[in-house]
Amino acid sequence: MQKIRQSAERAKEILLANDRGGYTVPTAGLYPYQWNWDSIFAALGFAVFDRARAWQEIETLFDAQWADGMVPHIVFRKNDPSYFPGPGIWQSNTDPMSSGHSQPPVAASVILTLAKTGGADDIARARRLFPKLVASHRWWHDYRDPDRTGLVGIIHPWESGRDNCPDWDLGMDRIVVPDDLGPYHRRDTDHVDADERPTVQQYDRYLTIVKFGRECGWDHRKIAAEGPFFMADPGVQFTLMRGDRDLLELGNLLGEDFDAGEIEDWIALSKEGAQQMWRPDAGAFVARELRSGDLSTALTNASMLAFYADAGTPEQLAELAGHGGEILDICEYGFPSWDPRDEAFESRRYWRGPVWSVMNYMIAIGLEEHGHAAMAARLRDDCLRLPDRSGFYEYFDPMTGEGLGGPDFTWTAAIYLTLGGGRAAGDV
Ligand code: GLC
């Protein structure tokens, strides 16, 4: 009990210590700016003890929304040379400066949660954000699914938020690194062991995509049509599908005057489109390389978001639940970011094996809604057990529970708080 109580206090302290005045950084040092989905999950944590601050976190992120509706993945409010690639490499030409692509659209779902559990101020603030949310969802469906296939594309592995997952190997293998990419000094390996981070070959390709975007002035029509990388991600597809449903519910809850039919069309089309990601021999929805149609090979924690999205048929979801159960039997802590039964699994390397609390949070909601309460409880419990054992690390080894990546991490602390870590002790 004592241990849990200390962790809840610590979780709150981490959010406050990572506050840079209206927005939080994911962790000091490694990630010194505001990140898109990190901030949305941070809001869930703040809401446990300071609802006004929770809303502020989301509002500052949306202050950086582009004119076309895109919410960027990093907001650079001031230059910090300890991070690479910084604003000078992205050259977004926006105010504030930002990166040039987005991240999983989780805002509508979190805002709906805050609106449903709050009072008049929560409703007023949700109302102010509502048109911005609609614009951001429209941006995904319009710019990232220009042919209306029901499948949205991502233009960079970083846009998935699952940066170096083997899912992206198919798209990354197609990228030709230009001779004039130039020398660069990555900063991530100054902070964290190289064996817990992406490789040099991967990094060259990441920067090749950024170069293409920068040189066409972040023309997203052109990037989707001709850019070096274009893949469908079960993580983005499923959070968007869930987000569309939650956006519709939010609009109705707020009594907003909006085009419900537009959102209903997105929902129907995406449900159909998601079928293009089903891989029968994996028994899961997996990433798809959009120019070739090739599918990735194994089940990930993003595949498990099918429940959250309500994607697929009852038969597909039953099969997926079976695989999920087998994988959890192998791991001491779930849910791993790559199937441990596959040879590409690496228990310590970032998105090629480790466990991430934010993914567990969403997977558990979906599992619970589909009658898999025990599996949902296991994943929620792991979000508390892991920090209790190892501290509030960025991610964890599913086999040993060792904390990896950056320490004192905002979203790990936020999920701990929102899942009730230490609340029974009344200390938050
Ligand atoms: C890494 C993660 C990404 C996260 C960012 C900041 O890039 O892959 O999902 O948003 O770090 O925490």
Side-chain angles (χ1 to χ4, degrees):
M1 209 58 206
Q2 186 58 23
K3 194 166 187 194
I4 290 175
R5 208 158 63 228
Q6 280 172 0
S7 287
E9 280 161 7
R10 187 75 203 113
K12 188 176 160 188
E13 271 166 30
I14 288 170
L15 293 192
L16 295 174
N18 288 341
D19 188 338
R20 295 290 177 274
Y23 70 93
T24 52
V25 296
T27 184
L30 183 62
Y31 302 119
Y33 298 109
Q34 182 173 27
W35 259 259
N36 180 325
W37 70 330
D38 296 69
S39 272
I40 301 298
F41 290 116
L44 280 176
F46 276 120
V48 171
F49 61 95
D50 184 348
R51 294 189 75 94
R53 181 62 189 78
W55 284 105
Q56 192 185 25
E57 186 76 25
I58 303 176
E59 288 157 1
T60 53
L61 175 67
F62 275 82
D63 283 347
Q65 184 171 32
W66 285 20
D68 61 9
M70 186 186 84
V71 184
H73 106 288
I74 310 175
V75 185
F76 303 114
R77 287 211 171 67
K78 44 187 176 236
N79 194 12
D80 188 325
S82 71
Y83 182 81
F84 179 89
I89 302 287
W90 290 92
Q91 294 176 18
S92 67
N93 293 318
T94 54
D95 182 19
M97 291 180 294
S98 71
S99 63
H101 58 67
S102 195
Q103 252 190 339
V106 293
S109 301
V110 168
I111 290 174
L112 177 64
T113 301
L114 295 181
K116 277 164 99 173
T117 54
D121 183 54
D122 299 82
I123 295 293
R125 293 174 95 155
R127 193 167 273 136
R128 281 202 293 276
L129 282 164
F130 186 75
K132 295 178 174 223
L133 275 177
V134 174
S136 71
H137 282 229
R138 192 178 289 128
W139 177 84
W140 278 106
H141 290 288
D142 183 13
Y143 283 84
R144 294 314 180 73
D145 183 17
D147 300 326
R148 297 288 183 269
T149 63
L151 212 50
V152 294
I154 58 167
I155 61 129
H156 196 300
W158 291 342
E159 192 158 46
S160 72
R162 300 183 298 120
D163 304 11
N164 71 333
C165 181
D167 270 353
W168 319 127
D169 293 357
L170 279 172
M172 292 279 274
D173 285 349
R174 298 169 64 96
I175 298 177
V176 181
V177 177
D179 294 337
D180 62 346
L181 186 63
Y184 60 88
H185 177 174
R186 49 190 287 202
R187 299 290 177 162
D188 57 330
T189 42
D190 295 351
H191 302 277
V192 170
D193 278 358
D195 70 349
E196 295 168 27
R197 298 292 304 179
T199 63
V200 175
Q201 290 75 16
Q202 282 169 341
Y203 231 84
D204 282 350
R205 289 180 166 82
Y206 295 153
L207 292 176
T208 301
I209 307 171
V210 175
K211 180 174 191 285
F212 185 96
R214 181 178 66 230
E215 288 175 357
C216 74
W218 296 105
D219 171 351
H220 276 287
R221 297 251 177 255
K222 186 178 164 89
I223 299 171
E226 298 167 30
F229 183 97
F230 201 44
M231 287 189 74
D233 165 24
V236 164
Q237 176 80 12
F238 291 158
T239 50
L240 183 63
M241 285 171 70
R242 176 62 183 232
D244 284 341
R245 267 169 45 212
D246 289 344
L247 186 65
L248 187 60
E249 189 180 336
L250 182 65
N252 290 329
L253 175 81
L254 300 174
E256 286 294 282
D257 182 16
F258 70 107
D259 183 356
E262 179 186 25
I263 303 179
E264 282 159 4
D265 287 349
W266 293 338
I267 295 169
L269 185 64
S270 304
K271 176 128 184 162
E272 214 180 293
Q275 285 299 335
Q276 299 167 67
M277 301 176 125
W278 180 255
R279 180 166 185 125
D281 60 357
F285 295 94
V286 299
R288 183 182 173 105
E289 207 287 306
L290 287 170
R291 315 241 191 257
S292 64
D294 292 343
L295 290 171
S296 179
T297 49
L299 194 158
T300 63
N301 49 359
S303 306
M304 291 300 286
L305 292 174
F307 301 95
Y308 185 65
D310 198 22
T313 63
E315 293 75 27
Q316 286 170 328
L317 290 180
E319 207 181 328
L320 185 59
H323 283 287
E326 280 172 31
I327 289 172
L328 286 176
D329 284 345
I330 298 172
C331 299
E332 180 62 30
Y333 301 91
F335 201 93
S337 44
W338 187 254
D339 190 337
R341 300 168 300 184
D342 186 89
E343 60 186 18
F345 176 77
E346 293 180 71
S347 69
R348 298 169 58 85
R349 199 185 287 273
Y350 216 32
W351 292 94
R352 297 176 99 89
V355 174
W356 297 74
S357 290
V358 292
M359 298 298 284
N360 276 13
Y361 165 80
M362 294 186 288
I363 297 169
I365 292 175
L367 283 171
E368 175 124 32
E369 288 169 350
H370 284 80
H372 301 290
M375 220 192 290
R378 155 86 194 266
L379 294 186
R380 290 186 176 127
D381 196 41
D382 287 352
C383 293
L384 308 183
R385 284 203 301 146
L386 283 163
D388 282 344
R389 179 199 178 281
S390 306
F392 291 92
Y393 272 86
E394 185 177 9
Y395 47 94
F396 302 88
D397 184 321
M399 301 307 176
T400 64
E402 185 188 348
L404 300 166
D408 300 340
F409 220 85
T410 296
W411 69 11
T412 310
I415 296 300
Y416 185 92
L417 286 171
T418 200
L419 292 181
R423 201 175 307 163
D427 62 6
V428 282

